[in-house]
Every structure is written in structure tokens, then in C-alpha cells.
């Protein structure tokens, strides 16, 4: 997600709310160059929708091909069968008319009309007719009838504006029209085919959705479990080891064993760091006491005490890094937390802090953890962010509300770091470029900051600013105002 950088402060007269050496200024303008907390994900279809569309396309295409094949294979036999029935009716009617007298012929025509639905009427030269050739089916039937009855036969779809299936034939002396109900030979129309196609396509799409869901559900569960492992929540990452599919079951079992091993490694690491750090406290305390009592040289004693204090601070970093991941989020006043952190470094003569924070800004966080984050960032800026010209660490703190989030920026005006080193600054025990002055400490400060912000449900990133210096961007959940 991308959010704008908070800018460096303008050059304004300084005030000293805490002490003369701790100075604060007014609002800081916004910088134009954005610094994204994380890379914006590429837009695209998920695996479920890709699988669904592929299966739906294949199934629907198969249905359409099947229907077209069925129609093609059914067309010629159906046309030949219909033409054969028409030719048989015409031949029977012609034979009956030829071998019957005038009185019997009238009775025959009446009987055919009443019982068979076949009407025989005289064909006159003035009759107006339209050929039975509206589509491929009718053309096929017409050709088959002509082939069976001869070229003198006429197959019409309408005679004297009366629709039907009309067949004009001749006897020895007369010509007749034979009218047959078209419903007797009507093939399946396009609407019926469309209904069947829509029904089959609907079932195909539903089947594709079910199949895609069955295929992607284990992957979705695996993705969720992997995200929980990444966040350190090993208890919520357990997968079902009794899945019906053997391949999915084996993957779930392997993932659960891996998560258990990672949880054990993380627990052992935390216990080891905490144990070593705790055990070092007692000899360091004795060493400092003996230094104060036994070293006569004041300058040497001060240097030894400084070294011991630095070792003690490194132990604190180890303890902070080994802290458990679970925190209780509560409504915390960001203004008060930053004020307390600034007050703690008020005696630093080589540090100047500028603040631009909205009033009554509240976040969801753990107050102790958040104070530790701000203190680490201030300490990192004090050590490595000194301005090259003055040798003073000028630190700008700005925060503002953006929707459901609060964006906090802490930046210095030092030398910055090499772009290829930015991604490594939050790695444990990594030391930055020597250009940011001499590196002291354990190399855990920024690692602790990133880890703590993640535990608080936020995001953390580092970026070089346009005007020089390193900026830390923090994104925290906004809390409702009381």
C-alpha cells in the first residue's frame, strides 16, 4: 500500500518546551516523493477464478460442440425420413385417386381429411404458391421429395396465402394439391435448442464452480496457514491432517510438522537470548562496582563505566528482541507517548527534535511497546543521523490521520544509506554503511522496531528522503476518539 511521505520541517525559530537543548518547531510541509510501505500488488485474477473460467469455458465449449454435432448428425437422416413419409402419403393418395370412381373419390378425400389430417384439393393454373425453401431443413426435405416423386412435383410452404406443407402432384388426367399438417414433420426449433444449451451451460458453470472450489480450497487454507506462520502465530496455522485427498493430506501433514519445528526453534531462540542476557547482568553489575571502587584513574574509570553501560544496553536489545509476540492492543494517546520519549532524551546536547502531530491522535497499540519503538528510532537517529555540517542530530517527527490508519514518520538529516542497503537495515545484527558514522550496538534496534510494529498490526518501512537523511514510516491502526 502506498502512502505519502511526511516532510521535513521548514526552517523556523526554535522553542524549548522541555529544556534549552531540546528544541521543537512548527508544522512540517509534505514531501512530493512517495515512499511506499509495501509494494502494491499486481492486479489479476485469483487461482480460483482462473480455474473456474477455464473449466467453464471447456465445459461450455464441449456442450456447444456436442449440440452442433448432434444437430449435424440428426439433420440428414431426419430430412430423408420426413421426405420418405411425404412421398409415401403422396403415392398412396395418387393411387387411391387413380383407382377410384368419382363417388368413391369424394368419400376418400373426406375420409383422409377427417382421419389423417391430409387434404386433397384440385390444383389450378391460377394458384399462387411459395416454395418450401425457407431454411436448410426445408431445402433438404424438398430435394428428397423431388428425388422420390420426380421433377413434376411441387413442394410449397404456402398456396393462395394458406400456410402448410403443400405437395403438388399429377395423376393420369388431373393435378392436385396435397396439404399436410406441418406439425407432423416439424423438427426441433431453435428455441428448444437454445433452452437446452442454456440449461447445459448453467449446469456446466455450476460444476466448474464446484470443481474449482474443491481444487482451490486446500490452496487457500495453505495460504492462510503460511501467512499465520509468517506473522508468528503458529497455533492458528494448523491444517487438517485427515483430508480425503491423499496428496492434500500429505502436504498438510508436512506443513504442520514444519510449523511445529519453526515454533520450537523460535521458542528455543527466545529462551536462549533471554537466558544469556539475564546471566550476563550479574557479572556486569559486579564489574561496574569493582571498577568504581578499584580504578584510581578517573578518566580510565569513566571509559570502563561507559563500556559496561554499552554492554548493558546491548543486553537490553537482546531482551527486547526475545520478547513474546502476543500483545494486547488498547487505545493509546500518540501525543503522550511521543512527549514521554522526547522528555527522556531531553539532556542530549547534540540532538534537536521537531514535532508536527495532530492533536488528540489515538492509536490501537501497547503503550510500552510503542514507547520502545519511538525510543529506538530516536536513539538510531542520535547515533547515525547527525547532520554532516553541524554534527547535531536533527530529528523530525510528524503524524497525521488517514482514514482508519495513522501515519507516523521519524526522519533525520544525516547522510542516509545506500539504496541497496535499505532492505537489510531491519535484519537482525546487520550494520549500516559506515558513512552513517561509527556503528555501535548489537544491530537489533530497527529489527526490534519492525517486529514490534508487526505485532501491533501495523506496517514499517525505511526510505531515503529527497533532501537527505533516513526516514522511518510507521502505519498504525487508528483508535476511536473518546
Amino acid at each position: 500500500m502506498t502512502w505519502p511521505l511526511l516532510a521535513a520541517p521548514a526552517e523556523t525559530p526554535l522553542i524549548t518546551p522541555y529544556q534549552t537543548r531540546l528544541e521543537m518547531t512548527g508544522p512540517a510541509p509534505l514531501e512530493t516523493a512517495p515512499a511506499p510501505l509495501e509494494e502494491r500488488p499486481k492486479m489479476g485474477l485469483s487461482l480460483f477464478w482462473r480455474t473456474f473460467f477455464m473449466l467453464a469455458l471447456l465445459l461450455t465449449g464441449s456442450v456447444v460442440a456436442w449440440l452442433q454435432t448432434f444437430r449435424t448428425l440428426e439433420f440428414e437422416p431426419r430430412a430423408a425420413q420426413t421426405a420418405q413419409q411425404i412421398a409415401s402419403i403422396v403415392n398412396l393418395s395418387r393411387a387411391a385417386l387413380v383407382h377410384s370412381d368419382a363417388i368413391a373419390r369424394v368419400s376418400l378425400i373426406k375420409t383422409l381429411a377427417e382421419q389423417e389430417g391430409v387434404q386433397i384439393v384440385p390444383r389450378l393454373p391460377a394458384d399462387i404458391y411459395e416454395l418450401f425453401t425457407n431454411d436448410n431443413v426445408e431445402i433438404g426435405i424438398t430435394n428428397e421429395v423431388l428425388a422420390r416423386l420426380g421433377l413434376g412435383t411441387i413442394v410449397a410452404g404456402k398456396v393462395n396465402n394458406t400456410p402448410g406443407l403443400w405437395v403438388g402432384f399429377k395423376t393420369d388426367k388431373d393435378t392436385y394439391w396435397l396439404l399436410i399438417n406441418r406439425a407432423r414433420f416439424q423438427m426441433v426449433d431453435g428455441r428448444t435448442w437454445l433452452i437446452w444449451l442454456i440449461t447445459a451451460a448453467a449446469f456446466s458453470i455450476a460444476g466448474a464452480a464446484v470443481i474449482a472450489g474443491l481444487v482451490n480450497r486446500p490452496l487457500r487454507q495453505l495460504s492462510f496457514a503460511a501467512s499465520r506462520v509468517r506473522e508468528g502465530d503458529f497455533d492458528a496455522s494448523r491444517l487438517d491432517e485427515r483430508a480425503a485427498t491423499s496428496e492434500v493430506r500429505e502436504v498438510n501433514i508436512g506443513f504442520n510438522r514444519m510449523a511445529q519445528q519453526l515454533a520450537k526453534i523460535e521458542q528455543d531462540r527466545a529462551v536462549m537470548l533471554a537466558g544469556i542476557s539475564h546471566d550476563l547482568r550479574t557479572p556486569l553489575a559486579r564489574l561496574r562496582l569493582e571498577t568504581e571502587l578499584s580504578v584510581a584513574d578517573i578518566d580510565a574509570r569513566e571509559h570502563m563505566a561507559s563500556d559496561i553501560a554499552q554492554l548493558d544496553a546491548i543486553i537490553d536489545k537482546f531482551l527486547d528482541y526475545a520478547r513474546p509476540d502476543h500483545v494486547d492492543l488498547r487505545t493509546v494517546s500518540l501525543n503522550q507517548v511521543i512527549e514521554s520519549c522526547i522528555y527522556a532524551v531531553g539532556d542530549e546536547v547534540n540532538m534537536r527534535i521537531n514535532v508536527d502531530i495532530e492533536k488528540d491522535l489515538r492509536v490501537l497499540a501497547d503503550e510500552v511497546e510503542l514507547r520502545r519503538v519511538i525510543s529506538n528510532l530516536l536513539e538510531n537517529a542520535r547515533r547515525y543521523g547527525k547532520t554532516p555540517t553541524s554534527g547535531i542530530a536533527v530529528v523530525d517527527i510528524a503524524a497525521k490521520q488517514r482514514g482508519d490508519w495513522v501515519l507516523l514518520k521519524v526522519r533525520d538529516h544525516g547522510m542516509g544509506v545506500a539504496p541497496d542497503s535499505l532492505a537489510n537495515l531491519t535484519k537482525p545484527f546487520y550494520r549500516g554503511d559506515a558513512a552513517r558514522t561509527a556503528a555501535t550496538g548489537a544491530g537489533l534496534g530497527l529489527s526490534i522496531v519492525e517486529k514490534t510494529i508487526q505485532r501491533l498490526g501495523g506496517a514499517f518501512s525505511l526510505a531515503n528522503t529527497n533532501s537527505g537523511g533516513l526516514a522511518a514510516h510507521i502505519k498504525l491502526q487508528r483508535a476511536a476518539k473518546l
Side-chain angles (χ1 to χ4, degrees), residues 15-24 342-343 346 351 353:
I15 57 174
T16 54
Y18 299 104
Q19 296 185 13
T20 57
R21 287 166 294 184
L22 178 63
E23 304 173 4
M24 306 178 67
I342 293 176
Y343 184 79
M351 190 173 186
I353 300 177

Side-chain angles (χ1 to χ4, degrees), residues 6 31 99 148 244 348 402 461:
L6 300 177
E31 290 182 357
H99 296 92
R148 294 174 185 274
E348 296 292 339
R402 285 290 184 271
S461 70

Side-chain angles (χ1 to χ4, degrees), residues 10 39 108 199 227 308 385 391:
E39 184 179 354
L108 174 64
T199 303
S227 67
I308 294 174

Side-chain angles (χ1 to χ4, degrees), residues 210-211 213-219 221 239-254:
V210 172
I211 295 173
L214 292 176
V215 171
N216 288 278
R217 185 179 297 113
L219 294 177
Q221 294 172 349
L239 297 174
D240 183 15
E241 298 184 0
R242 296 179 295 177
T245 308
S246 60
E247 292 83 0
V248 175
R249 185 167 58 250
E250 292 176 2
V251 171
N252 290 353
I253 292 174

Side-chain angles (χ1 to χ4, degrees), residues 62-85:
S62 299
V63 170
V64 173
W66 172 78
L67 288 175
Q68 188 63 31
T69 302
F70 182 79
R71 291 189 64 183
T72 302
L73 295 177
E74 186 236 13
F75 172 73
E76 292 185 3
R78 187 69 177 269
Q81 182 182 9
T82 301
Q84 182 180 0
Q85 293 178 8

Side-chain angles (χ1 to χ4, degrees), residues 102-267:
I103 298 176
R105 186 176 301 168
V106 174
S107 178
L108 174 64
I109 292 174
K110 183 178 180 181
T111 300
L112 288 175
E114 291 177 352
Q115 296 183 3
E116 298 297 330
V118 177
Q119 299 181 30
I120 299 176
V121 296
R123 192 177 78 188
L124 304 176
D127 289 341
I128 301 174
Y129 60 88
E130 296 179 5
L131 294 178
F132 190 65
T133 55
N134 290 331
D135 54 32
N136 293 333
V137 176
E138 294 182 359
I139 293 174
I141 293 175
T142 300
N143 293 335
E144 289 288 336
V145 170
L146 293 177
R148 294 174 185 274
L149 298 179
L151 295 178
T153 306
I154 299 175
V155 181
K158 185 183 294 186
V159 175
N160 297 328
N161 294 324
T162 301
L165 179 53
W166 298 81
V167 181
F169 64 95
K170 295 187 297 183
T171 61
D172 294 338
K173 299 179 181 180
D174 302 312
T175 57
Y176 295 92
W177 286 110
L178 185 144
L179 174 61
I180 307 173
N181 188 359
R182 294 181 63 172
R184 297 178 61 178
F185 308 102
Q186 189 71 34
M187 303 183 71
V188 178
D189 60 5
R191 181 178 300 177
T192 303
W193 285 110
L194 182 61
I195 293 174
W196 278 105
L197 177 61
I198 292 175
T199 303
F203 279 108
S204 299
I205 293 175
V210 172
I211 295 173
L214 292 176
V215 171
N216 288 278
R217 185 179 297 113
L219 294 177
R220 186 168 60 251
Q221 294 172 349
L222 180 61
S223 175
F224 174 78
S227 67
R228 294 294 86 206
V229 170
R230 182 185 62 195
E231 299 296 334
D233 189 1
F234 297 99
D235 294 334
S237 63
R238 185 172 181 80
L239 297 174
D240 183 15
E241 298 184 0
R242 296 179 295 177
T245 308
S246 60
E247 292 83 0
V248 175
R249 185 167 58 250
E250 292 176 2
V251 171
N252 290 353
I253 292 174
F255 183 87
N256 288 340
R257 301 299 177 272
M258 179 193 70
Q260 291 173 1
Q261 188 67 21
L262 290 175
K264 185 177 183 301
I265 293 174
E266 179 69 15
Q267 184 179 10

Side-chain angles (χ1 to χ4, degrees), residues 31-42:
E31 290 182 357
T32 57
L37 279 176
E38 56 189 22
E39 184 179 354
R40 186 183 297 274
K42 296 181 179 180

